[in-house]
Amino acid sequence: MYALVDGNNFYVSCERVFRPSLNGRPVVVLSNNDGCAIARSNEAKALGIKMGAPWFQIRHFEESAGLVALSANFALYGDMSDRMMSLAAGLGHHQEVYSIDESFIDLTDIKGDITERSRRIRHRILKWIGIACGIGIGPTKTLAKLANHIAKTAERKPGSYPDHHAQVCNLGNLAPMELDALMLATQVGEVWGVGRRIGAQLKEAGIHTVLDLARLDPVMVKRRWSVVLERTVRELQGTDCMVLEHEPPAKQEIACTRSFGHAVLELSALQEAVTEFASRAAQKLRLQNGHAGQVLTFIRTSPFRAQDLQYSRSTVVPLRRPTHDSRDISQAALLGLQAIFRPGYRYAKAGVMLLDLRPADLIQQELALEDDVADPGASRLMQALDAVNQRFGRNTVTLASAGLAGEQRQWCMKQERRTPGYTTEWDGLALVRA
């Protein structure tokens, strides 16, 4: 058996923990540069606000419905996620953190009433850190994910599950007819792994509900669609096809891209931005103990500014020796930027992507050139750089070409509605007055 623990409207919930006045009000959290809605409270959903809705299209709700829009505070959300996951881990022996607000728990050999145990864990998370969550339980990860969806929406379905008020749904406790009824009441697009394109194809084939999908022949599904959908069907039928991942797999590519708060015209400002993006990507690479063999750099103007001249270009610079050294990766990214930069354009976005990733312990041997001698202290230097920035905050120590972090930089993102770092910054600590 597996459990999926999922924070409700997680980004909004994190904000409400420290601002209880937001409870009961429509709230959205906006993406980088305050561009579009990436999280919505139930009240905002009731207004018809869709995920990804551009801010300029929904900002009229500020006046008409009291909508509150906040800039994303990812440092806060990451810290609250760590706290929630540490509490959710008490539900079982093994945990797979699937996303910032979701984790799978292996309930194998857990004794006693699993549903009641889940209620207690859910209550503990709500009481200790203020985050409400739903818990779905099933014999496979796909069924656990489905159970979580049912737990959150059971009140809108016929024959609602009796535990929906506690937001805990255990499909393992249901009789086959009850499980079929829930699957029949759930649209096929709600199944984990069924995206918009596959969902449309399934509906064209007359497969509208989860029950329709669960009753398909897996061999036929593999032949007509894919092995991935075949695995999903088998999981819906109760066959465990997805093991719990105790460690996230190493990424095949690592990217850091940002849209700018204001249009950038000068090469110097782009160099600062690209240096910072390359440094952040290199830090992510070190976290998975990897090396990169190539560095891609891109810049582009905004396609939404029709009055501007349009330009978009990228280039890949191979590294002579695979590395995770921020200095080498940033130098390659800047070389790429120098090659593709053209004056006279209003640049709106840039990014760096690390390619040809491999484990750091895979050593590449070659004859060293006079100007290409490996630095034996590079790894220790990068470890020290990461340690300082982790202890004292991001960008405490940076490469010189990134500029000074304390200065207002033209390319920085808009975050005009960002709340304090209540749990991540000393200056952001909430004050309690007697």
Side-chain angles (χ1 to χ4, degrees):
M1 297 292 287
Y2 297 93
L4 177 69
V5 182
D6 179 16
N8 298 350
N9 307 324
F10 185 68
Y11 293 172
V12 172
S13 295
C14 290
E15 299 286 357
R16 283 176 164 175
V17 169
F18 300 96
R19 292 179 61 183
S21 61
L22 297 177
N23 290 329
R25 299 185 61 181
V27 180
V28 295
V29 174
L30 301 175
S31 63
N32 293 336
N33 285 310
D34 297 342
C36 61
I38 57 173
R40 305 156 295 155
S41 68
N42 290 336
E43 296 81 3
K45 294 175 185 178
L47 292 175
I49 297 175
K50 304 296 184 183
M51 181 66 79
W55 170 235
F56 72 88
Q57 291 182 359
I58 62 175
R59 67 181 308 160
H60 63 90
F61 285 119
E62 280 188 303
E63 298 274 341
S64 61
L67 176 67
V68 177
L70 302 172
S71 301
N73 190 341
F74 292 117
L76 172 65
Y77 309 151
D79 183 70
M80 294 295 287
S81 173
D82 289 343
R83 296 166 190 251
M84 187 181 87
M85 298 309 172
S86 66
L87 296 175
L91 185 56
H93 299 305
H94 304 290
Q95 179 184 41
E96 175 191 336
V97 177
Y98 179 67
S99 67
I100 194 169
D101 61 343
E102 296 176 287
S103 68
F104 287 101
I105 310 294
D106 186 354
L107 301 178
T108 304
D109 297 328
I110 296 296
K111 306 299 182 183
D113 188 334
I114 294 176
T115 304
E116 181 58 32
R117 182 185 179 93
S118 299
R119 288 199 193 100
R120 291 197 301 267
I121 290 294
R122 181 183 183 275
H123 177 72
R124 182 181 300 172
I125 294 172
L126 181 61
K127 183 178 180 180
W128 288 15
I129 65 172
I131 300 294
C133 63
I135 301 180
I137 303 169
T140 69
K141 291 169 73 173
T142 301
L143 285 172
K145 186 88 168 175
L146 178 65
N148 182 269
H149 169 75
I150 293 170
K152 291 184 176 182
T153 60
E155 66 275 12
R156 297 197 296 270
K157 297 186 181 300
S160 60
Y161 186 73
D163 290 324
H164 77 269
H165 291 295
Q167 288 205 326
V168 174
C169 175
N170 185 352
L171 297 184
N173 287 344
L174 299 182
M177 290 183 62
E178 293 176 305
L179 180 57
D180 286 352
L182 284 175
M183 287 187 171
L184 183 63
T186 307
Q187 292 296 307
V188 70
E190 302 295 343
V191 175
W192 185 34
V194 176
R196 183 176 301 176
R197 183 176 62 85
I198 295 297
Q201 293 178 10
L202 291 172
K203 289 181 179 180
E204 287 179 3
I207 303 161
H208 298 280
T209 70
V210 178
L211 185 62
D212 295 335
L213 182 61
R215 287 179 170 175
L216 293 180
D217 177 14
V219 177
M220 181 275 294
V221 171
K222 178 181 179 181
R223 183 170 59 249
R224 181 167 178 177
W225 281 284
S226 68
V227 67
V228 175
L229 190 60
E230 176 209 10
R231 185 175 60 183
T232 297
V233 171
R234 292 188 185 278
E235 287 247 284
L236 289 174
Q237 295 172 350
T239 302
D240 189 7
C241 301
M242 305 181 196
V243 298
L244 209 66
E245 295 180 353
H246 302 300
E247 294 184 4
K251 297 179 181 179
Q252 301 302 308
E253 297 176 350
I254 294 178
C256 183
T257 69
R258 294 289 186 275
S259 295
F260 304 140
H262 303 278
V264 174
L265 288 82
E266 303 297 329
L267 176 61
S268 58
L270 285 174
Q271 288 173 329
E272 289 183 359
V274 166
T275 299
E276 179 158 331
F277 301 160
S279 298
R280 290 189 187 181
Q283 184 181 20
K284 294 178 183 179
L285 181 62
R286 292 193 289 272
L287 286 175
Q288 71 176 44
N289 192 32
H291 280 170
Q294 300 181 78
V295 179
L296 180 147
T297 306
F298 78 85
I299 51 176
R300 68 172 173 83
T301 56
S302 173
F304 304 106
R305 296 187 187 129
Q307 69 276 18
D308 291 351
L309 293 174
Q310 296 297 306
Y311 179 77
S312 178
R313 187 78 181 273
S314 67
T315 188
V316 175
V317 176
L319 295 167
R320 182 176 293 174
R321 179 183 290 110
T323 183
H324 58 207
D325 192 315
S326 295
R327 299 169 297 175
D328 295 334
I329 290 173
S330 296
Q331 183 181 37
L334 291 173
L335 286 173
L337 174 64
Q338 188 75 41
I340 62 178
F341 173 77
R342 298 292 182 272
Y345 292 96
R346 296 169 56 84
Y347 294 101
K349 188 173 185 178
V352 173
M353 182 180 294
L354 306 185
L355 308 174
D356 189 18
L357 305 188
R358 64 194 70 182
D361 54 9
L362 182 62
I363 305 299
Q364 175 178 315
Q365 301 288 350
E366 70 278 303
L367 294 175
L369 303 177
E370 291 182 0
D371 61 343
D372 181 35
V373 179
D375 181 359
S379 293
R380 294 197 303 273
L381 176 61
M382 292 300 107
Q383 290 173 5
L385 178 69
D386 293 341
V388 170
N389 287 329
Q390 182 176 7
R391 179 174 180 181
F392 297 104
R394 178 182 286 177
N395 293 332
T396 300
V397 178
T398 64
L399 299 180
S401 55
L404 297 177
E407 296 181 351
Q408 183 60 38
R409 294 181 286 190
Q410 183 182 14
W411 53 271
C412 287
M413 294 184 297
K414 289 180 182 176
Q415 289 189 312
E416 299 170 352
R417 301 163 179 263
R418 184 176 179 273
T419 51
Y422 299 107
T423 66
T424 59
E425 300 172 4
W426 287 109
D427 294 338
L429 288 177
L431 299 178
V432 179
R433 302 185 188 278

